[in-house]
Amino acid sequence: MAILGAGSMLLAAALAAIPATAAGAQGAEELAKKLLVSAPFTGKGDNLPTDALSLNACLTAATELKGVNEFDSCADQNVGPVPESGKSPGYLQLTDTGDYDKGAAIYNHALPNKGGIEVTFAQYQYGGTGADGISFFLVDGDTDLTEPGALGGSLGYAQNENFDGVDGGYLGLGLDAWGNFSADTEGRGSGCPEDYRAPSYLSVDRNRAPDNVALRGPGNGKEGYCLLATTATSEKIGEYAYGDIYGTDFPESLRAETLADAKRVVKLKVTDGAHPKVTVDIDFMDGAGWTRVLEATMPFEAPDTFKIGFASSTGRHTDVHLIRHLRVETFVE
């Protein structure tokens, strides 16, 4: 399936065709699940799926240093309050709290979509000054997925003025502590129809909505990756040196000050159907269980196969970014 192969005119036509009440044709929640990927990331790396690629990510339980693009020890990536290197059970570490750090873990292996997708994982953001965030993304399975998209506020999924978005992008989930993933600034949102652009207050350079969850849709190169849904609100809650800060319709923080308090479990579900419905639920580990934080309808039918990835980065502001217990499942009759 070619996504955005004809540029923004195809995107506009597809978005315009979505029915107001579109949803998956099947009740995916009524179907059995088939496990496609299980990656706890708690060990030394010997149980990772074939075709899993590290791009400056590391495993905190690993004990051997191998190279920048290996799932190796984090002993040389230890700025800030990172987990103890070599101690099990560990984590997938995307960044420490070093300035302008980045990391990604991608799975360059096509997974079948048999009626819907459900992805769960634990994420941890803590220990710094709240930037940037973590993305999880799905791309068309025909794509040779070897690197993420633009980092910084684009969280490794969308584009910016200088770098392309991830190749063959289908859906990007931003767990956005700093607050730029929902903003159509820095080149994001190029070629998107008005109804799928950020609101005006997040189209002003440097304005942001911190502690926010957002979904961006299909894209290639510097076109697309349109904003589908966001927890950002129009309530101005403050200012900083470069712009205004807006609120988020969100019950708890995505991040914490310490690792002990930082665990948040995320569930992303994409239903079957011509215009799949996407839901995002988060367990904030406060005893309340799952909280529905976002819903959206996809502008394109999901591809028959897909590939997945995580990405994160820091800038002048930072956090430790960790992942654990990834599970990817599809639904079968």
Side-chain angles (χ1 to χ4, degrees):
M1 174 182 174
I3 297 176
L4 284 178
S8 57
M9 290 183 64
L10 173 59
L11 176 66
L15 292 171
I18 297 176
T21 58
Q26 290 179 289
E29 64 278 5
E30 299 175 359
L31 302 178
K33 298 177 186 177
K34 179 181 178 180
L35 180 64
L36 300 178
V37 177
S38 176
F41 298 120
T42 53
K44 298 180 180 181
D46 52 358
N47 61 343
L48 291 176
T50 302
D51 297 327
L53 303 175
S54 166
L55 302 171
N56 201 44
C58 58
L59 294 168
T60 66
T63 56
E64 183 180 357
L65 287 170
K66 298 179 182 179
V68 172
N69 292 333
E70 301 282 348
F71 287 106
D72 65 349
S73 169
C74 297
D76 59 347
Q77 300 183 53
N78 59 1
V79 179
V82 296
E84 181 180 346
S85 182
K87 182 179 179 180
S88 295
Y91 306 80
L92 172 67
Q93 181 177 303
L94 298 173
T95 78
D96 59 18
T97 60
D99 293 349
Y100 300 99
D101 194 11
K102 60 183 178 181
I106 57 183
Y107 189 33
N108 193 22
H109 178 84
L111 300 168
N113 174 13
K114 296 293 186 181
I117 303 158
E118 184 171 284
V119 181
T120 58
F121 58 90
Q123 65 102 54
Y124 306 74
Q125 303 186 53
Y126 70 96
T129 51
D132 282 299
I134 294 173
S135 72
F136 173 82
F137 47 85
L138 301 172
V139 307
D140 190 325
D142 289 339
T143 303
D144 185 18
L145 180 61
T146 58
E147 58 185 352
L151 290 163
S154 299
L155 296 184
Y157 179 70
Q159 77 279 53
N160 65 21
E161 293 165 346
N162 299 314
F163 296 97
D164 291 348
V166 70
D167 287 345
Y170 179 69
L171 177 66
L173 167 64
L175 304 162
D176 189 13
W178 186 248
N180 286 336
F181 193 67
S182 295
D184 280 350
T185 55
E186 304 174 315
R188 285 179 293 275
S190 176
C192 295
E194 190 65 30
D195 289 346
Y196 287 85
R197 292 187 60 85
S200 58
Y201 56 90
L202 289 178
S203 297
V204 176
D205 191 36
R206 303 297 183 95
N207 284 2
R208 58 189 180 91
D211 207 26
N212 175 41
V213 177
L215 292 166
R216 285 187 175 270
N220 260 321
K222 290 188 171 64
E223 290 286 307
Y225 312 98
C226 303
L227 185 65
L228 301 178
T230 175
T231 62
T233 73
S234 59
E235 179 186 10
K236 180 180 173 180
I237 60 173
E239 300 176 352
Y240 72 123
Y242 304 102
D244 296 333
I245 299 174
Y246 287 85
T248 182
D249 183 15
F250 211 62
E252 299 284 350
S253 176
L254 278 173
R255 62 176 303 279
E257 295 303 311
T258 66
L259 173 57
D261 295 329
K263 182 178 181 180
R264 310 286 186 262
V265 182
V266 180
K267 178 166 61 179
L268 171 71
K269 183 182 291 187
V270 182
T271 68
D272 195 13
H275 295 294
K277 181 179 178 181
V278 181
T279 56
V280 181
D281 298 281
I282 298 181
D283 186 344
F284 294 94
M285 310 307 294
D286 57 0
W290 293 110
T291 298
R292 176 63 49 83
V293 297
L294 275 185
E295 295 184 354
T297 300
M298 291 301 297
F300 287 93
E301 187 174 356
D304 293 332
T305 63
F306 59 95
K307 297 177 180 179
I308 61 174
F310 289 101
S312 185
S313 62
T314 66
R316 286 178 294 179
H317 294 270
T318 69
D319 260 338
V320 178
H321 298 100
L322 309 174
I323 299 292
R324 249 186 185 176
H325 300 305
L326 170 67
R327 287 178 62 88
V328 182
E329 297 167 293
T330 189
F331 296 96
V332 293
E333 294 183 354

